[in-house]
Amino acid sequence: MSLILSHSDGDNYYFHVEVRDEEVGFVPETIEVIDPVTDQVVAGPFMLVEQDSLLCRSRLHETDGIDLSQMPLNFWYRHTEMPFFIYRVTVREPTDEQRIIDIVGLPFICESEERP
């Protein structure tokens, strides 16, 4: 599961990856934004760091605040239009092997007035 979060402090974007299944042993490491038309990276990679989760049985990984200038033009509006951006997450398996997971479709979006 992934979401994009926009806080009011400085127009930064935050990407989150939530691992809900306790049995999943991989760790999300980075996230990139891919243009589905060109299959090119248009933003990132951004490092994901594990955070305390308010949700039971989940692990939350979050980027640092990403400045608007690091994102594609009109990102906030474009990411809700077809064709949707692809969010490519690199994860590390317990065996130390890297794997790529493409999240296709509209991610969960959340806006907040202050940083949680």
Side-chain angles (χ1 to χ4, degrees), residues 9-69:
D9 58 337
D11 292 331
N12 286 333
Y13 292 105
Y14 297 81
F15 290 102
H16 298 75
V17 175
E18 181 184 349
V19 181
R20 289 188 169 183
D21 187 343
E22 291 178 345
E23 303 299 315
V24 172
F26 64 69
V27 176
E29 292 187 327
T30 63
I31 189 167
E32 298 174 303
V33 181
I34 310 295
D35 183 325
V37 175
T38 64
D39 201 33
Q40 298 294 309
V41 175
V42 293
F46 303 108
M47 295 299 296
L48 291 159
V49 177
E50 190 164 2
Q51 304 292 327
D52 290 333
S53 177
L54 301 175
L55 304 172
C56 296
R57 297 179 156 160
S58 68
R59 291 181 287 134
L60 183 67
H61 300 264
E62 176 183 73
T63 62
D64 286 334
I66 301 166
D67 187 82
L68 185 62
S69 65

Side-chain angles (χ1 to χ4, degrees), residues 3-8 13 76 108-114:
L3 65 93
I4 300 166
L5 187 64
S6 175
H7 300 294
S8 63
Y13 292 105
W76 189 247
F108 174 70
I109 301 163
C110 176
E111 290 186 72
S112 67
E113 287 302 313
E114 58 188 75

Side-chain angles (χ1 to χ4, degrees), residues 17 28 30-31 48 87-91 99-103:
V17 175
T30 63
I31 189 167
L48 291 159
Y87 299 93
R88 184 161 290 158
V89 179
T90 302
V91 300
R99 187 164 57 105
I100 303 296
I101 299 173
D102 282 350
I103 299 170

